[in-house]
Amino acid sequence: MADIQFSKSVSACAQDRAFVVTIDNPPVNALSAHVRSGLMAALDHAANLPAITGVIITGAGSTFIGGADIKEFGKPPVGPTLPEVTERIETFNKPIVATVNGAALGGGCEVALACHGRIAGEKASFGLPEVKLGIVPGAGGTQRLPRLIGLVAAIDLIGTGRAVKAGEAVTLGLADGIATHPVGAAIALVHECAEKPLRRTGMIGVPPTDPAAVSAAEAKVLARARGQSAPAEAVRLVKAAGELDLRQGLAEERATFLRLRDSSESAALRHVFFAERAAGKVEGLDIAALRKIATVAVVGTGLMGSGIAVSALTSGHRVIALEQTPEAAAGGRARIAETLDKSVRSGRLTADGRDDCLARLQTTTEAADLAKADLVIEAVFDDLKVKTDLFRRLDGIVAPDAILATNTSYLDPDAIAAATADPSRVVGLHFFSPANVMRLVEVVDCAKTSPEVLASVLAFVKRLGKLPVVCGVTEGFIGNRIFSAYRREAEFMLEDGALPQEIDAALEAYGFPMGIFDVNDMAGLEIAWARRKRQAATRDADARYVEIADRLCEAGRLGRKTGRGWYAYPEGERTIDPEVTAVIEAARAAKNITPRSFTASEIMSRLLKAMVDEGTALLADGVAARPGDIDLVMINGYGFPAHRGGPMFAAEQTKDQPHA
Ligand code: 3H9
């Protein structure tokens, strides 16, 4: 039988008495309205074909179904809804088997769950990542998954949004088998299913589970939720599957899904989702002309350099790490090996994977060895002379088309580029520490960086599994400029009457993992102190300057490592220190400031305004291309809560609301 087209994205053909329905809706086969209507029409058709034993549902390309079409959220609903489609699948009069050829995510996983069997291809993965979008599954996922894999595993998967690969899916009972030729295996399963009563997932009883194990799984999810409501709602719905009948459970799930879909949390997380997809895209950039980056040289193997080396190794690159002395090179290798070992211990890397990484690592003290590198990333001491000397030297060693990247945080990369004969091959790659863990990389498009070099490093950063955000040259780039602006505002509030613990508590209540003074203590106060001293001579004498941090540093309070900073740390415990309060009060008195009290909401709106004003200036200067890029930097580099969408998004949402 020839292919029958049921909608612009759904077609089917008969194969060995099975009706093979294929969803072809690039890029990820999302369940747009025409997919849902096409699936319904295909099932209607198959129901009336006597020669057809059953139905296969599969996806064209490398994805099974990437989920509901997120672009449809917020638009008027168009039927049939996904719950109608999944119900039709589950109650169908012939067996339906999902051939999961790639990712089955969200609504895609729910379609698979509603089928009477699931065959995974070798590249299949299954997941219900809705909580990452601030919602819960809305087409039966919370009710059907626990019936297949039990409450504990379902709480883990739905509460965290974690996806599982084919092997784990089979072990859990989510998939019936893995096959190299999954369509053939699914057709065989259809014929097998046709011989006996259909296994309708919704009719299976939830396996009995130890309540203590359920509570432990729930506690684990809630501990990670950090102020978001979707994970707790997801857990509640999964538990309800063990208590309600299917119809009641589905109704409760649907009501929760619709409520959360319209929440500000979901709007914020959807904004983050699309901002991430847009990040690193530069208009007019020719991505066809990418330079090959297979061998990466890292200069300096301290905390930052070794983290960068680990990232490059675990993403399959060869790495040459340059140090000044054999001892430092040995230390660098040991640091890299230890980080890789840690990944093996935590299960993120296999022992073979670690050995393979170490086999691709060369440590050296000979700069001439860098001649083989396609990309050199320097992570040496943040001093302009050190870096310009290094780049001048490298310029004469590396191949003419090799790319030179600086990991400076505060120096002017244009000044570093000017030390080379060909500044068009120089770019900034500002990694965040620890670089093997943190996703964010600010990619600094310097004045003379060529488009080809920029495109090549963007692709490289994505290959590392990281999130590149392009920014222009400015002191501190996007993140540190905003961080400085809101730290300045926090210090103004200290002088005006707030205390560090009040400001930190307001930030934590908003969803930051740590307050700004807590972060300062963790990172150490001395680097910012040194910068302030450097800038003292050129500082605008009329601009407001808060001296409290200087007084603390002068008293040897340099943060946690000295046992004292904005807080004291007797026996490692953060405690409020009256000495700090006294320093703050003395600073206020010296300026004749009468302290006043601040509410948490006033503290937050002042801090947010400082971030947004600086973000607006960065956009106006062309340093940042999109507000979403600024949001991503703050979320991924500075602990801004993702479920608030970042400062620029949050400000846009509250634009018309009066401040408390
Ligand atoms: C859900 O299912 C709710 C249901 O429970 C209830 C319903 C009632 N929709 O990431 P990529 C676009 S909620 C629309 O770079 P990859 C994306 O914007 C959904 N568009 O590709 C990008 O567009 P552009 C639950 C989507 O190969 C392009 O596809 N599902 C969707 O690296 C390529 O994306 C999820 O949360 C979508 N669902 O990774 C899964 N997904 O090119 C979300 C992607 O214009 N998706 N796009 O920038 C993903 O995790 C990844 O996209 C995926 C592919 C792993 C599928």
Side-chain angles (χ1 to χ4, degrees), residues 18 83 106 109 168 201 357 426 496 528 534 651:
C109 186
E168 191 177 351
T201 314
C357 284
V426 177
D496 290 341
R534 272 202 310 273

Side-chain angles (χ1 to χ4, degrees), residues 27-28 30-31 63 65-71 73 82-83 103 105-108 110 128-130 133 135-139 254 257 273-274 277-278 281:
V28 299
L31 291 155
T63 309
I65 301 172
D69 186 343
I70 308 172
K71 292 183 179 122
F73 289 13
L82 194 57
L105 297 176
E110 291 175 300
L128 288 163
E130 282 84 346
L133 295 170
I135 53 175
V136 291
R254 186 69 182 163
F257 166 77
F273 178 84
F274 287 115
R277 266 82 203 156
K281 288 187 184 154

Side-chain angles (χ1 to χ4, degrees), residues 142-144 146-147 151 206 236-244:
T142 65
Q143 304 305 295
R144 293 196 177 95
R147 287 176 157 83
L151 288 172
V206 174
R236 180 179 64 77
L237 292 165
V238 173
K239 282 166 56 185
E243 294 151 13
L244 307 177

Side-chain angles (χ1 to χ4, degrees), residues 41-63:
L43 293 183
D44 288 346
H45 189 83
N48 298 315
L49 291 175
I52 289 294
T53 311
V55 177
I56 306 294
I57 298 179
T58 193
S62 56
T63 309

Side-chain angles (χ1 to χ4, degrees), residues 219-376:
K220 223 165 144 186
V221 168
L222 299 187
R224 291 180 40 162
R226 279 214 348 237
Q228 296 183 38
S229 53
E233 295 280 16
V235 173
R236 180 179 64 77
L237 292 165
V238 173
K239 282 166 56 185
E243 294 151 13
L244 307 177
D245 69 25
L246 180 69
R247 194 151 296 282
Q248 289 171 317
L250 289 177
E252 186 54 34
E253 180 197 77
R254 186 69 182 163
T256 311
F257 166 77
L258 292 174
R259 175 164 51 79
L260 293 184
R261 189 195 58 187
D262 298 334
S263 66
S264 54
E265 180 175 313
S266 173
L269 288 167
R270 288 200 308 270
H271 159 74
V272 173
F273 178 84
F274 287 115
E276 285 194 3
R277 266 82 203 156
K281 288 187 184 154
V282 178
E283 220 172 302
L285 209 57
D286 181 8
I287 50 165
L290 296 184
R291 291 192 194 173
K292 171 186 89 119
I293 300 180
T295 301
V296 180
V298 179
V299 184
T301 59
L303 184 65
M304 182 57 89
S306 59
I308 296 171
V310 167
S311 280
L313 288 167
T314 50
S315 51
H317 299 86
R318 278 187 301 279
V319 171
I320 309 167
L322 176 69
E323 267 296 354
Q324 282 177 315
T325 64
E327 294 73 31
R333 176 173 275 275
R335 223 174 344 267
I336 292 166
E338 171 50 25
T339 310
L340 292 169
D341 280 343
K342 227 162 136 186
S343 298
V344 174
R345 287 197 293 274
S346 68
R348 286 195 306 272
L349 189 68
T350 61
D352 284 352
R354 172 204 49 209
D355 295 347
D356 181 46
C357 284
L358 288 172
R360 279 183 276 109
L361 171 66
Q362 178 193 349
T363 43
T364 181
T365 53
E366 294 297 328
D369 287 344
L370 270 50
K372 292 170 279 184
D374 303 309
L375 163 69
V376 182

